């Protein structure tokens, strides 16, 4: 027989005053000196305990990717962008096409056309939209994107006590999970994510946000669906996209990937849209960004034309959303014309004569000053051209060099800074 007792022998009032209450001890066959008087005791209750499991018993499994852009010849899944059964956020400023992207990925999943684990296997999507109209915006966009409309579900809440009830986290998490499993849903879109968090939750307090979202993240893993939450960037801040996501820093801790969107002013006065993977906890960072466009399109309805827009994925680009945001936030930043001139100068300098794409930083900086190129413009040009600081391996006291990509000597594997 095992009995709970207090080893101090003090009366309850003294224990409470000393802050020692609630510290049970397990000793066999010793009668209690006293029993706590704060309520009935459950003699069958198991004491709190720690369970230790050897790491050797953990089942190791590969990450599976809902969206995977790995090119032919590259290591399998090396370009995974959206991990399955996790929370991913797509974030950017207003008017950058985040919602159109969510519609695009929804359409690809319902047709089995999204490169990744589900390619060739159409699956349903739950699409929760708090701001846009299904009649005038969401449904026409889905048609324009080529979605299988029978495979996309919009969600309402039935609650007799609240006639205008809406989907709310964490209250409706178990209901969402049940429906997702019943319909074999692959993706849950929440546009925007913050709108579905209970109004009593302070979305700038990390602990409260985690309490609202952690049950949904756990449900996604248990019931095998992925969550794509849309979010806005704050209007000002650093050039770090993750820190610009509106709301608590808990978002950055809970999400497994961040897809960021930005609009860049080009040297010829036009604008172009850039999409980057700015966080990827389960895969590679530094994957190529993509250009994209938002195209106007007309959808025919029984009552006349509906004018909407659709997301069109474009080619890869060396410019990232972080680059665009840095240019926007750098005090005294370099203007486009000066940066363009510096980029052209640096590329010419490194490829002329016998330099073979590399040179000493001091020599480059001195030549730039002589050519009227500022140090800020030279720094921006180095980043724009993805020039690396390298040191040849195996060379005693070798100096650091600036090296253009693709100009490393054949068979050489220089160290990088």
């Amino acid at each position: 027989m095992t009995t709970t007792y207090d080893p101090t022998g003090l009366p309850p009032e003294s224990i409470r005053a000393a802050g020692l209450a609630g510290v049970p001890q397990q000793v066999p066959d010793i009668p209690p000196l006293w029993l706590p008087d704060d309520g009935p005791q459950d003699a069958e209750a198991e004491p709190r305990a720690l369970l230790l499991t050897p790491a050797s018993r953990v089942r190791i499994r590969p990450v599976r990717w809902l969206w995977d852009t790995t090119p032919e010849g590259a290591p399998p899944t090396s370009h995974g962008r959206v991990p399955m059964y996790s929370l991913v956020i797509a974030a950017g400023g207003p008017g950058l096409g985040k919602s159109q992207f969510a519609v695009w990925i929804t359409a690809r999943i319902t047709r089995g056309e999204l490169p990744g684990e589900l390619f060739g296997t159409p699956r349903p999507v739950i699409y929760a939209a708090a701001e846009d109209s299904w009649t005038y915006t969401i449904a026409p966009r889905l048609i324009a994107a080529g979605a299988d409309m029978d495979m996309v579900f919009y969600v309402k809440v039935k609650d007799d006590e609240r006639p205008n009830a809406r989907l709310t986290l964490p209250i409706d998490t178990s209901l969402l999970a049940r429906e997702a499993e019943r319909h074999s849903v692959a993706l849950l879109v929440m546009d925007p994510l913050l709108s579905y968090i209970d109004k009593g939750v302070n979305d700038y307090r990390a602990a409260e946000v985690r309490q609202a979202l952690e049950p949904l993240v756990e449900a996604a893993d248990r019931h095998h669906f992925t969550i794509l939450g849309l979010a806005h960037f704050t209007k000002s801040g650093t050039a770090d996209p993750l820190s610009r996501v509106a709301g608590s820093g808990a978002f950055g801790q809970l999400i497994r990937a961040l897809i960021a969107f930005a609009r860049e002013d080009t040297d010829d006065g036009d604008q172009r849209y850039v999409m980057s993977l700015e966080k990827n906890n389960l895969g590679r960072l530094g994957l190529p960004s993509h250009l994209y466009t938002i195209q106007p399109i007309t959808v025919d309805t029984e009552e006349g034309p509906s004018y909407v827009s659709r997301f069109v994925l474009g080619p890869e680009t060396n410019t990232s959303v972080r680059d665009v945001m840095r240019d926007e936030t750098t005090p005294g930043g370099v203007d486009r014309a000066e940066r363009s001139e510096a980029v052209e100068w640096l590329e010419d300098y490194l490829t002329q004569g016998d330099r073979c794409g590399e040179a000493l930083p001091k020599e480059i900086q001195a030549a730039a000053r002589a050519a009227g190129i500022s140090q800020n413009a030279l720094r921006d040009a180095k980043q724009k051209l993805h020039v690396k600081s390298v040191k040849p391996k195996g060379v005693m006291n070798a100096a650091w060099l600036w090296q253009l990509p693709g100009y490393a000597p054949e068979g050489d594997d220089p160290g990088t800074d």
Side-chain angles (χ1 to χ4, degrees):
M1 171 180 169
T2 300
T3 306
T4 300
Y5 89 114
D6 175 68
T8 64
L10 296 173
E13 310 83 51
S14 301
I15 288 184
R16 293 194 185 96
L20 300 174
V23 188
Q25 303 290 325
Q26 298 296 324
V27 178
D29 301 325
I30 298 180
L33 301 180
W34 59 275
L35 290 175
D37 59 358
D38 53 357
Q41 303 300 303
D42 184 358
E44 302 299 324
E46 290 290 333
R48 184 180 178 90
L50 298 180
L51 303 177
L52 301 183
T53 302
S56 58
R57 294 181 58 185
V58 175
R59 181 183 178 186
I60 300 174
R61 306 178 67 182
V63 177
R64 302 190 181 279
W65 298 93
L66 185 69
W67 185 24
D68 182 0
T69 59
T70 301
E72 186 176 353
T77 71
S78 61
H79 286 56
R81 293 177 181 267
V82 174
M84 299 182 75
Y85 318 144
S86 62
L87 172 61
V88 176
I89 280 185
L96 296 183
K98 302 182 297 295
S99 295
Q100 288 90 333
F101 167 76
V103 167
W104 173 84
I105 201 170
T106 294
R108 304 283 79 73
I109 290 171
T110 64
R111 294 290 181 184
E113 297 172 353
L114 186 69
E117 186 74 17
L118 300 182
F119 185 77
T121 307
R123 292 275 297 278
V125 174
I126 296 176
Y127 200 114
E131 297 177 348
D132 291 319
S133 164
W134 267 89
T135 299
Y136 299 110
T137 305
I138 303 298
R141 282 179 178 175
L142 286 165
I143 293 172
D148 182 339
M149 301 298 281
D150 290 327
M151 300 277 274
V152 184
F153 299 100
Y154 69 91
V155 56
K156 290 185 177 181
V157 176
K158 179 181 178 181
D159 189 338
D160 293 339
E161 296 181 2
R162 299 175 60 196
N164 298 314
R166 62 178 299 170
L167 185 66
T168 304
L169 300 176
I171 297 171
D172 296 319
T173 297
S174 59
L175 298 177
L176 261 179
R178 186 186 311 158
E179 293 303 307
E181 181 167 307
R182 186 162 74 94
H183 292 279
S184 191
V185 165
L187 181 69
L188 165 64
V189 176
M190 309 198 81
D191 180 11
L193 179 60
L194 272 179
S195 292
Y196 291 100
I197 294 179
D198 190 284
K199 300 304 181 184
V201 173
N202 186 331
D203 52 50
Y204 279 87
R205 291 187 176 178
E208 295 185 27
V209 171
R210 294 187 75 99
Q211 289 175 357
L213 291 181
E214 281 179 344
L216 182 63
V217 174
E218 292 172 3
D221 182 53
R222 187 182 316 114
H223 298 282
H224 295 171
F225 63 92
T226 304
I227 312 155
L228 177 64
L230 273 60
H232 300 296
F233 279 158
T234 55
K235 292 184 178 180
S236 60
T238 69
D240 176 17
L242 192 59
S243 68
R244 293 277 292 275
V245 176
S248 165
F251 291 117
Q253 300 160 12
L254 285 170
I255 64 174
R256 300 300 89 187
L258 170 66
I259 302 171
F261 299 78
R263 182 169 50 226
E264 179 187 35
D265 294 327
T266 62
D267 294 336
D268 57 8
D270 289 336
Q271 293 180 325
R272 64 177 186 170
Y273 294 93
V274 180
M275 179 182 71
S276 300
L277 187 64
E278 294 291 346
K279 178 178 179 177
N280 193 11
N281 277 18
L282 302 178
R284 283 181 53 197
L285 275 175
L287 295 180
S289 301
H290 276 273
L291 299 178
Y292 66 95
T293 57
I294 303 298
Q295 293 182 347
I297 189 168
T298 303
V299 175
D300 293 327
T301 76
E302 294 179 355
E303 301 179 21
S306 175
Y307 303 100
V308 291
S309 56
R310 66 180 176 189
F311 175 96
V312 178
L313 186 67
E316 294 181 353
T317 176
N318 289 329
T319 300
S320 68
V321 170
R322 187 181 296 266
D323 294 335
V324 176
M325 295 174 69
R326 185 185 61 246
D327 291 344
E328 294 173 346
T329 58
T330 301
V334 180
D335 62 39
R336 293 195 303 273
E338 185 181 0
R339 183 186 303 111
S340 179
E341 179 185 358
V343 168
E344 184 177 352
W345 179 88
L346 180 57
E347 188 170 22
D348 287 345
Y349 182 85
L350 289 174
T351 55
Q352 286 177 356
D354 59 354
R355 296 191 184 97
C356 298
E358 59 187 25
L360 293 167
K362 289 183 178 179
E363 293 177 356
I364 297 171
Q365 292 162 1
R369 284 194 296 270
I373 304 294
S374 71
Q375 291 302 301
N376 285 341
L378 182 63
R379 177 207 62 211
D380 285 4
K382 181 187 177 186
Q383 292 173 340
K384 191 76 172 178
L385 292 170
H386 296 276
V387 171
K388 296 181 179 180
S389 295
V390 302
K391 179 181 284 189
K393 290 186 177 180
V395 180
M396 185 69 68
N397 299 322
W400 288 98
L401 299 171
W402 282 14
Q403 185 181 84
L404 274 172
Y407 277 85
E410 188 174 350
D412 189 20
D413 181 21
T416 58
D417 186 12

